[in-house]
Amino acid sequence: MTASEQWLDEISGHLSRFPMCRRRILDELSDHIRASSAELQAAGLAPAAADTEAVRRLGNPRTVAAEFAHQITRERSVFLTRTIGGTAFATVALIGLVPLLAVLGLYAGPTSDTVRLTPDSWYPTLRWLLLFSIGVMPPVALATVAFTAGRVFRTAVAITGAGYLFMLTAIFKNNWPPEWASIAAWAAFTLVAGTGIARRRKHTRTLPPRLAATTVTTIVLGATLRLAATGVPIPRNAPAVAQALPELATYFLAPIALLAFLSYSDARHAAVRLHEDGERSLSAEV
Amino acid sequence: MNTDAIRGHLEMLLLAALEPGEAYGYALIERVAARSGQAFELTEGSVYPALHRLEAAGDVQSHWERVSGRRRRVYKLTRAGQARLGHERTEWARFSYAVSLAVNPA
Protein backbone atom coordinates (compact mmCIF):
# COMPACT_ATOMS: atom_id res chain seq x y z
CA MET A 1 0.00 0.00 0.00
CA THR A 2 1.40 3.42 -0.90
CA ALA A 3 1.64 6.23 1.60
CA SER A 4 -1.29 8.06 0.01
CA GLU A 5 -3.47 4.95 -0.04
CA GLN A 6 -2.69 4.38 3.64
CA TRP A 7 -3.43 7.99 4.46
CA LEU A 8 -6.74 7.96 2.60
CA ASP A 9 -7.68 4.65 4.15
CA GLU A 10 -7.05 6.03 7.62
CA ILE A 11 -9.06 9.19 7.09
CA SER A 12 -11.86 7.18 5.53
CA GLY A 13 -12.05 5.16 8.73
CA HIS A 14 -12.20 8.30 10.86
CA LEU A 15 -15.04 9.63 8.69
CA SER A 16 -17.08 6.43 8.79
CA ARG A 17 -19.73 8.26 10.85
CA PHE A 18 -20.45 10.50 7.84
CA PRO A 19 -21.05 8.21 4.86
CA MET A 20 -22.90 10.90 2.90
CA CYS A 21 -19.99 13.35 2.98
CA ARG A 22 -17.13 10.88 2.97
CA ARG A 23 -17.10 10.21 -0.80
CA ARG A 24 -16.72 13.87 -1.68
CA ILE A 25 -14.00 14.42 0.91
CA LEU A 26 -12.01 11.40 -0.25
CA ASP A 27 -12.30 12.41 -3.90
CA GLU A 28 -11.10 15.92 -3.16
CA LEU A 29 -8.19 14.79 -1.03
CA SER A 30 -7.05 12.12 -3.47
CA ASP A 31 -7.15 14.73 -6.26
CA HIS A 32 -5.07 16.98 -4.04
CA ILE A 33 -2.52 14.23 -3.39
CA ARG A 34 -2.23 13.53 -7.12
CA ALA A 35 -1.66 17.20 -7.94
CA SER A 36 0.83 17.64 -5.12
CA SER A 37 2.70 14.46 -5.98
CA ALA A 38 2.84 15.41 -9.67
CA GLU A 39 4.38 18.79 -8.81
CA LEU A 40 6.94 17.19 -6.49
CA GLN A 41 7.90 14.68 -9.16
CA ALA A 42 8.28 17.55 -11.63
CA ALA A 43 10.66 19.09 -9.11
CA GLY A 44 12.78 15.95 -9.21
CA LEU A 45 11.46 13.67 -6.48
CA ALA A 46 10.98 9.97 -7.07
CA PRO A 47 7.32 8.88 -7.25
CA ALA A 48 7.31 7.12 -3.89
CA ALA A 49 9.07 10.01 -2.17
CA ALA A 50 6.73 12.50 -3.81
CA ASP A 51 3.76 10.48 -2.60
CA THR A 52 5.10 10.41 0.95
CA GLU A 53 5.85 14.12 0.95
CA ALA A 54 2.42 14.94 -0.46
CA VAL A 55 0.62 13.20 2.41
CA ARG A 56 3.04 14.65 4.95
CA ARG A 57 2.02 18.13 3.80
CA LEU A 58 -1.64 17.21 4.22
CA GLY A 59 -1.09 16.61 7.91
CA ASN A 60 -2.25 14.04 10.43
CA PRO A 61 -5.30 12.22 9.02
CA ARG A 62 -6.96 12.15 12.47
CA THR A 63 -6.63 15.90 12.78
CA VAL A 64 -7.97 16.53 9.30
CA ALA A 65 -10.88 14.13 9.93
CA ALA A 66 -11.65 15.86 13.22
CA GLU A 67 -11.87 19.22 11.46
CA PHE A 68 -14.25 17.78 8.90
CA ALA A 69 -16.31 16.11 11.66
CA HIS A 70 -16.60 19.39 13.48
CA GLN A 71 -17.82 21.15 10.35
CA ILE A 72 -20.29 18.42 9.35
CA THR A 73 -21.73 18.20 12.85
CA ARG A 74 -22.20 21.93 12.98
CA GLU A 75 -24.02 21.94 9.63
CA ARG A 76 -26.27 19.12 10.78
CA SER A 77 -27.19 20.89 13.99
CA VAL A 78 -28.20 24.00 12.05
CA PHE A 79 -30.22 21.88 9.62
CA LEU A 80 -31.90 19.98 12.47
CA THR A 81 -32.91 23.17 14.23
CA ARG A 82 -34.36 24.68 11.11
CA THR A 83 -36.20 21.54 9.99
CA ILE A 84 -37.72 20.48 13.28
CA GLY A 85 -38.32 23.99 14.45
CA GLY A 86 -39.90 24.77 11.10
CA THR A 87 -42.16 21.74 11.40
CA ALA A 88 -43.28 22.80 14.84
CA PHE A 89 -44.15 26.29 13.76
CA ALA A 90 -45.79 25.08 10.56
CA THR A 91 -48.01 22.92 12.74
CA VAL A 92 -49.05 25.85 14.85
CA ALA A 93 -49.56 28.13 11.86
CA LEU A 94 -51.69 25.58 10.04
CA ILE A 95 -53.92 24.71 12.95
CA GLY A 96 -54.37 28.37 13.68
CA LEU A 97 -55.03 29.52 10.13
CA VAL A 98 -57.54 26.90 9.01
CA PRO A 99 -60.21 27.48 11.65
CA LEU A 100 -59.89 31.23 11.13
CA LEU A 101 -60.66 30.67 7.46
CA ALA A 102 -63.54 28.37 8.41
CA VAL A 103 -65.12 30.96 10.67
CA LEU A 104 -64.57 33.79 8.19
CA GLY A 105 -65.95 31.59 5.42
CA LEU A 106 -69.10 31.01 7.37
CA TYR A 107 -69.63 34.70 7.88
CA ALA A 108 -69.22 35.24 4.15
CA GLY A 109 -71.77 32.51 3.42
CA PRO A 110 -75.49 32.53 2.90
CA THR A 111 -77.38 35.39 4.34
CA SER A 112 -79.24 34.23 7.38
CA ASP A 113 -79.33 35.32 10.98
CA THR A 114 -77.30 32.37 12.18
CA VAL A 115 -74.85 29.84 10.77
CA ARG A 116 -73.84 26.44 12.01
CA LEU A 117 -70.35 25.06 11.88
CA THR A 118 -71.13 21.37 11.85
CA PRO A 119 -69.47 18.34 10.31
CA ASP A 120 -72.15 18.38 7.68
CA SER A 121 -71.90 22.06 6.93
CA TRP A 122 -71.70 23.18 3.35
CA TYR A 123 -68.00 23.92 3.70
CA PRO A 124 -66.71 20.34 3.44
CA THR A 125 -63.40 21.48 2.03
CA LEU A 126 -62.73 23.60 5.05
CA ARG A 127 -63.80 20.73 7.27
CA TRP A 128 -61.29 18.41 5.65
CA LEU A 129 -58.60 21.03 5.95
CA LEU A 130 -59.42 21.38 9.61
CA LEU A 131 -59.29 17.65 10.22
CA PHE A 132 -56.03 17.44 8.31
CA SER A 133 -54.46 20.17 10.36
CA ILE A 134 -55.33 18.56 13.68
CA GLY A 135 -55.04 14.95 12.52
CA VAL A 136 -51.79 14.98 10.58
CA MET A 137 -49.60 17.81 11.75
CA PRO A 138 -49.55 16.97 15.48
CA PRO A 139 -48.36 13.41 14.82
CA VAL A 140 -45.63 14.86 12.63
CA ALA A 141 -44.57 17.15 15.44
CA LEU A 142 -44.90 14.20 17.82
CA ALA A 143 -42.56 12.11 15.70
CA THR A 144 -39.95 14.85 15.64
CA VAL A 145 -40.14 15.21 19.41
CA ALA A 146 -39.72 11.45 19.84
CA PHE A 147 -36.68 11.59 17.59
CA THR A 148 -34.91 14.18 19.71
CA ALA A 149 -36.09 13.33 23.23
CA GLY A 150 -34.65 10.92 25.79
CA ARG A 151 -35.89 7.33 26.08
CA VAL A 152 -38.28 7.70 29.03
CA PHE A 153 -39.83 10.83 27.66
CA ARG A 154 -40.05 9.26 24.23
CA THR A 155 -42.00 6.31 25.65
CA ALA A 156 -44.43 8.58 27.45
CA VAL A 157 -44.99 10.67 24.33
CA ALA A 158 -45.59 7.49 22.29
CA ILE A 159 -48.23 6.22 24.70
CA THR A 160 -50.13 9.48 24.96
CA GLY A 161 -49.70 10.05 21.24
CA ALA A 162 -51.29 6.70 20.45
CA GLY A 163 -54.29 7.60 22.57
CA TYR A 164 -54.52 10.97 20.91
CA LEU A 165 -54.39 9.48 17.42
CA PHE A 166 -57.09 6.97 18.34
CA MET A 167 -59.32 9.83 19.38
CA LEU A 168 -58.59 11.75 16.18
CA THR A 169 -59.49 8.68 14.13
CA ALA A 170 -62.90 8.71 15.76
CA ILE A 171 -63.31 12.37 14.81
CA PHE A 172 -62.43 11.54 11.21
CA LYS A 173 -65.28 9.08 11.22
CA ASN A 174 -67.67 11.81 12.36
CA ASN A 175 -67.87 10.19 15.74
CA TRP A 176 -66.90 12.87 18.19
CA PRO A 177 -65.30 11.42 21.32
CA PRO A 178 -67.04 11.55 24.66
CA GLU A 179 -66.08 14.31 27.02
CA TRP A 180 -64.11 12.04 29.35
CA ALA A 181 -61.90 10.76 26.52
CA SER A 182 -60.87 14.17 25.34
CA ILE A 183 -60.22 15.36 28.90
CA ALA A 184 -58.10 12.28 29.59
CA ALA A 185 -56.10 12.81 26.39
CA TRP A 186 -55.60 16.45 27.24
CA ALA A 187 -54.49 15.73 30.79
CA ALA A 188 -52.00 13.04 29.73
CA PHE A 189 -50.55 15.09 26.92
CA THR A 190 -50.28 18.19 29.07
CA LEU A 191 -48.50 16.25 31.79
CA VAL A 192 -46.03 14.75 29.36
CA ALA A 193 -45.45 17.96 27.45
CA GLY A 194 -45.10 19.95 30.65
CA THR A 195 -42.51 17.49 31.92
CA GLY A 196 -40.63 17.87 28.67
CA ILE A 197 -40.66 21.63 28.93
CA ALA A 198 -39.45 21.51 32.51
CA ARG A 199 -36.55 19.31 31.48
CA ARG A 200 -35.56 21.62 28.66
CA ARG A 201 -35.83 24.86 30.52
CA LYS A 202 -32.24 25.81 29.98
CA HIS A 203 -32.94 26.00 26.25
CA THR A 204 -36.21 27.90 26.41
CA ARG A 205 -35.10 31.50 26.46
CA THR A 206 -37.95 32.49 24.16
CA LEU A 207 -40.60 30.60 26.10
CA PRO A 208 -43.06 33.44 26.81
CA PRO A 209 -43.69 34.72 23.26
CA ARG A 210 -43.87 31.23 21.75
CA LEU A 211 -46.16 29.97 24.46
CA ALA A 212 -48.39 33.02 24.02
CA ALA A 213 -48.55 32.53 20.26
CA THR A 214 -49.40 28.86 20.49
CA THR A 215 -51.95 29.42 23.24
CA VAL A 216 -53.83 31.99 21.15
CA THR A 217 -53.76 29.61 18.19
CA THR A 218 -55.08 26.80 20.33
CA ILE A 219 -57.93 28.88 21.61
CA VAL A 220 -59.05 29.79 18.09
CA LEU A 221 -58.87 26.19 16.93
CA GLY A 222 -60.56 24.93 20.04
CA ALA A 223 -63.39 27.40 19.62
CA THR A 224 -64.01 26.20 16.09
CA LEU A 225 -63.97 22.53 16.98
CA ARG A 226 -66.20 23.00 19.97
CA LEU A 227 -68.74 24.79 17.85
CA ALA A 228 -68.53 22.06 15.24
CA ALA A 229 -69.02 19.36 17.86
CA THR A 230 -72.06 20.93 19.43
CA GLY A 231 -73.63 22.35 16.27
CA VAL A 232 -74.43 25.50 18.18
CA PRO A 233 -75.76 28.17 15.85
CA ILE A 234 -73.50 31.19 15.64
CA PRO A 235 -75.32 34.45 15.39
CA ARG A 236 -73.67 36.53 12.75
CA ASN A 237 -72.99 39.52 14.88
CA ALA A 238 -72.78 37.91 18.28
CA PRO A 239 -69.89 37.45 20.73
CA ALA A 240 -71.05 33.86 21.30
CA VAL A 241 -67.73 32.57 20.07
CA ALA A 242 -65.93 34.68 22.66
CA GLN A 243 -68.07 33.12 25.40
CA ALA A 244 -66.77 29.66 24.52
CA LEU A 245 -63.12 30.71 24.52
CA PRO A 246 -62.34 30.28 28.24
CA GLU A 247 -63.62 26.73 28.13
CA LEU A 248 -61.76 26.00 24.94
CA ALA A 249 -58.50 27.34 26.33
CA THR A 250 -58.48 24.40 28.73
CA TYR A 251 -59.77 21.86 26.25
CA PHE A 252 -57.89 18.97 24.77
CA LEU A 253 -56.32 21.11 22.03
CA ALA A 254 -53.94 22.78 24.48
CA PRO A 255 -51.51 19.83 24.15
CA ILE A 256 -51.18 20.56 20.44
CA ALA A 257 -49.78 23.96 21.24
CA LEU A 258 -47.53 22.58 23.94
CA LEU A 259 -46.41 19.82 21.59
CA ALA A 260 -45.50 22.25 18.84
CA PHE A 261 -43.61 24.39 21.30
CA LEU A 262 -41.91 21.38 22.83
CA SER A 263 -40.77 20.03 19.47
CA TYR A 264 -39.12 23.36 18.73
CA SER A 265 -37.54 23.41 22.16
CA ASP A 266 -36.29 19.87 21.70
CA ALA A 267 -34.94 20.73 18.28
CA ARG A 268 -32.86 23.50 19.77
CA HIS A 269 -31.65 21.18 22.52
CA ALA A 270 -30.72 18.51 19.99
CA ALA A 271 -28.89 21.07 17.90
CA VAL A 272 -26.89 22.29 20.88
CA ARG A 273 -26.12 18.71 21.90
CA LEU A 274 -24.94 17.81 18.40
CA HIS A 275 -22.73 20.86 18.27
CA GLU A 276 -21.24 20.07 21.68
CA ASP A 277 -20.62 16.46 20.60
CA GLY A 278 -18.76 17.81 17.61
CA GLU A 279 -16.66 20.08 19.80
CA ARG A 280 -15.80 17.17 22.11
CA SER A 281 -14.85 14.96 19.17
CA LEU A 282 -12.51 17.64 17.88
CA SER A 283 -10.88 18.08 21.31
CA ALA A 284 -10.49 14.33 21.78
CA GLU A 285 -8.96 13.67 18.42
CA VAL A 286 -6.62 16.62 17.95
CA MET B 1 4.96 31.19 9.54
CA ASN B 2 2.98 28.07 10.37
CA THR B 3 -0.74 27.36 10.26
CA ASP B 4 -1.32 28.18 13.94
CA ALA B 5 -0.36 31.80 13.35
CA ILE B 6 -2.89 32.24 10.59
CA ARG B 7 -5.59 29.89 11.87
CA GLY B 8 -8.07 32.66 12.50
CA HIS B 9 -7.48 34.19 9.06
CA LEU B 10 -7.43 31.12 6.87
CA GLU B 11 -10.92 31.75 5.49
CA MET B 12 -10.04 35.32 4.61
CA LEU B 13 -6.90 34.14 2.82
CA LEU B 14 -8.89 31.59 0.85
CA LEU B 15 -11.53 34.13 -0.13
CA ALA B 16 -8.79 36.49 -1.32
CA ALA B 17 -7.15 33.68 -3.26
CA LEU B 18 -10.45 32.99 -5.03
CA GLU B 19 -10.93 36.59 -6.04
CA PRO B 20 -8.98 36.34 -9.32
CA GLY B 21 -11.09 33.39 -10.41
CA GLU B 22 -12.22 29.88 -9.63
CA ALA B 23 -9.71 27.25 -8.57
CA TYR B 24 -9.48 23.83 -7.02
CA GLY B 25 -8.02 23.16 -3.58
CA TYR B 26 -4.39 22.54 -4.46
CA ALA B 27 -4.26 25.53 -6.79
CA LEU B 28 -5.70 27.71 -4.03
CA ILE B 29 -2.97 26.63 -1.65
CA GLU B 30 -0.38 27.58 -4.25
CA ARG B 31 -2.05 30.94 -4.82
CA VAL B 32 -1.99 31.72 -1.08
CA ALA B 33 1.68 30.77 -0.87
CA ALA B 34 2.56 32.81 -3.96
CA ARG B 35 0.61 35.92 -2.86
CA SER B 36 2.24 35.79 0.59
CA GLY B 37 5.73 35.46 -0.82
CA GLN B 38 5.92 31.88 0.46
CA ALA B 39 5.54 33.19 4.04
CA PHE B 40 2.69 30.83 4.91
CA GLU B 41 3.22 27.10 5.32
CA LEU B 42 -0.35 25.90 5.42
CA THR B 43 -1.18 22.48 6.76
CA GLU B 44 -2.82 21.56 3.51
CA GLY B 45 -5.39 19.30 5.11
CA SER B 46 -6.89 22.26 6.98
CA VAL B 47 -7.75 24.05 3.76
CA TYR B 48 -10.51 21.66 2.72
CA PRO B 49 -12.56 21.88 5.94
CA ALA B 50 -12.21 25.65 5.65
CA LEU B 51 -13.49 25.55 2.07
CA HIS B 52 -16.43 23.43 3.20
CA ARG B 53 -17.18 25.97 5.94
CA LEU B 54 -17.13 28.76 3.41
CA GLU B 55 -19.47 26.84 1.15
CA ALA B 56 -21.87 26.11 4.00
CA ALA B 57 -21.88 29.81 4.79
CA GLY B 58 -22.64 30.67 1.16
CA ASP B 59 -19.38 32.56 0.60
CA VAL B 60 -18.16 30.15 -2.07
CA GLN B 61 -19.81 27.67 -4.34
CA SER B 62 -18.30 24.59 -5.93
CA HIS B 63 -18.87 22.10 -8.68
CA TRP B 64 -17.23 18.96 -10.01
CA GLU B 65 -15.09 18.99 -13.12
CA ARG B 66 -13.66 16.04 -15.03
CA VAL B 67 -9.88 16.11 -15.31
CA SER B 68 -8.15 13.12 -16.93
CA GLY B 69 -11.13 10.97 -16.16
CA ARG B 70 -11.21 11.89 -12.48
CA ARG B 71 -13.34 14.28 -10.45
CA ARG B 72 -11.98 17.60 -9.29
CA ARG B 73 -13.85 20.02 -7.04
CA VAL B 74 -13.58 23.60 -8.22
CA TYR B 75 -14.50 26.57 -6.05
CA LYS B 76 -15.50 30.10 -6.89
CA LEU B 77 -16.39 33.20 -4.93
CA THR B 78 -20.04 34.16 -4.56
CA ARG B 79 -21.37 37.68 -4.19
CA ALA B 80 -21.79 37.09 -0.49
CA GLY B 81 -18.20 35.90 -0.35
CA GLN B 82 -17.04 39.01 -2.18
CA ALA B 83 -18.88 41.17 0.33
CA ARG B 84 -17.44 39.24 3.23
CA LEU B 85 -13.95 39.59 1.80
CA GLY B 86 -14.38 43.34 1.56
CA HIS B 87 -15.55 43.49 5.13
CA GLU B 88 -12.69 41.32 6.39
CA ARG B 89 -10.14 43.41 4.53
CA THR B 90 -11.41 46.51 6.30
CA GLU B 91 -11.35 44.75 9.66
CA TRP B 92 -7.86 43.44 9.02
CA ALA B 93 -6.54 46.88 8.08
CA ARG B 94 -8.00 48.30 11.27
CA PHE B 95 -6.60 45.44 13.36
CA SER B 96 -3.12 45.49 11.92
CA TYR B 97 -2.92 49.27 12.27
CA ALA B 98 -3.92 49.04 15.94
CA VAL B 99 -1.39 46.27 16.60
CA SER B 100 1.34 48.28 14.90
CA LEU B 101 0.55 51.26 17.10
CA ALA B 102 0.57 49.10 20.22
CA VAL B 103 3.88 47.35 19.56
CA ASN B 104 5.65 50.34 18.01
CA PRO B 105 4.69 53.27 20.13
CA ALA B 106 5.82 56.60 18.77
Side-chain angles (χ1 to χ4, degrees):
Chain A
M1 205 181 239
T2 62
S4 58
E5 285 169 350
Q6 205 169 338
W7 195 95
L8 289 168
D9 200 50
E10 190 173 343
I11 198 172
S12 177
H14 289 309
L15 293 173
S16 58
R17 286 184 292 151
F18 311 106
M20 301 282 286
C21 309
R22 186 170 54 173
R23 186 72 262 152
R24 171 186 165 172
I25 293 169
L26 291 177
D27 284 351
E28 272 197 276
L29 291 174
S30 58
D31 179 57
H32 174 98
I33 292 170
R34 269 194 304 278
S36 179
S37 180
E39 187 165 310
L40 289 164
Q41 287 182 58
L45 254 63
D51 193 62
T52 304
E53 176 62 13
V55 299
R56 187 198 69 79
R57 291 180 179 184
L58 269 177
N60 187 318
R62 287 186 73 190
T63 308
V64 177
E67 290 193 50
F68 275 117
H70 178 69
Q71 172 56 22
I72 293 167
T73 305
R74 185 174 174 277
E75 283 178 39
R76 284 185 179 180
S77 66
V78 170
F79 175 74
L80 192 67
T81 306
R82 286 179 181 166
T83 302
I84 298 179
T87 302
F89 280 107
T91 300
V92 174
L94 193 60
I95 65 178
L97 187 62
V98 169
L100 276 173
L101 290 175
V103 172
L104 288 173
L106 282 172
Y107 273 78
T111 53
S112 64
D113 289 338
T114 61
V115 293
R116 285 176 185 270
L117 175 62
T118 68
D120 299 323
S121 80
W122 66 288
Y123 279 99
T125 305
L126 285 172
R127 170 175 171 260
W128 280 108
L129 281 174
L130 194 66
L131 291 175
F132 171 79
S133 67
I134 64 166
V136 176
M137 294 305 292
V140 171
L142 177 71
T144 57
V145 171
F147 170 70
T148 60
R151 191 167 12 131
V152 172
F153 184 66
R154 208 182 305 167
T155 305
V157 168
I159 293 171
T160 54
Y164 196 78
L165 287 173
F166 176 76
M167 186 176 64
L168 288 173
T169 305
I171 293 175
F172 246 102
K173 294 180 181 175
N174 240 353
N175 186 17
W176 293 89
E179 195 83 11
W180 68 265
S182 50
I183 290 174
W186 162 74
F189 238 29
T190 305
L191 181 67
V192 167
T195 306
I197 290 172
R199 287 173 61 219
R200 301 280 187 257
R201 284 196 66 181
K202 58 181 175 176
H203 299 294
T204 56
R205 280 196 304 267
T206 58
L207 169 63
R210 282 190 282 137
L211 196 54
T214 51
T215 301
V216 167
T217 305
T218 304
I219 289 170
V220 172
L221 175 61
T224 311
L225 280 181
R226 176 66 176 167
L227 291 167
T230 58
V232 172
I234 309 169
R236 282 188 172 274
N237 59 352
V241 172
Q243 290 176 4
L245 291 184
E247 179 189 351
L248 295 163
T250 59
Y251 216 82
F252 70 93
L253 291 167
I256 293 179
L258 288 171
L259 186 66
F261 163 74
L262 179 62
S263 63
Y264 180 75
S265 173
D266 258 318
R268 289 190 58 190
H269 173 73
V272 169
R273 197 174 61 217
L274 270 176
H275 187 63
E276 287 170 351
D277 284 348
E279 296 276 355
R280 272 197 295 274
S281 299
L282 183 64
S283 304
E285 294 190 31
V286 171
Chain B
M1 209 181 297
N2 63 22
T3 306
D4 283 336
I6 58 169
R7 187 178 292 279
H9 310 292
L10 179 58
E11 291 180 13
M12 179 177 64
L13 291 171
L14 291 173
L15 289 173
L18 278 169
E19 203 176 22
E22 64 180 34
Y24 65 105
Y26 187 74
L28 275 175
I29 293 167
E30 293 199 304
R31 270 189 204 173
V32 170
R35 287 158 72 107
S36 68
Q38 310 299 326
F40 298 141
E41 294 173 9
L42 293 179
T43 303
E44 296 177 358
S46 299
V47 168
Y48 293 93
L51 285 169
H52 286 210
R53 273 197 303 278
L54 288 169
E55 190 168 16
D59 294 327
V60 305
Q61 63 190 44
S62 65
H63 63 275
W64 290 109
E65 280 185 0
R66 279 275 164 195
V67 177
S68 305
R70 295 182 194 265
R71 301 205 300 174
R72 168 167 289 172
R73 196 80 181 174
V74 176
Y75 295 86
K76 74 174 190 181
L77 207 57
T78 61
R79 270 199 192 166
Q82 188 71 56
R84 179 180 167 183
L85 178 60
H87 172 76
E88 299 225 0
R89 276 182 171 140
T90 306
E91 287 300 305
W92 173 255
R94 207 175 285 165
F95 172 73
S96 61
Y97 177 68
V99 170
S100 295
L101 283 179
V103 300
N104 298 311

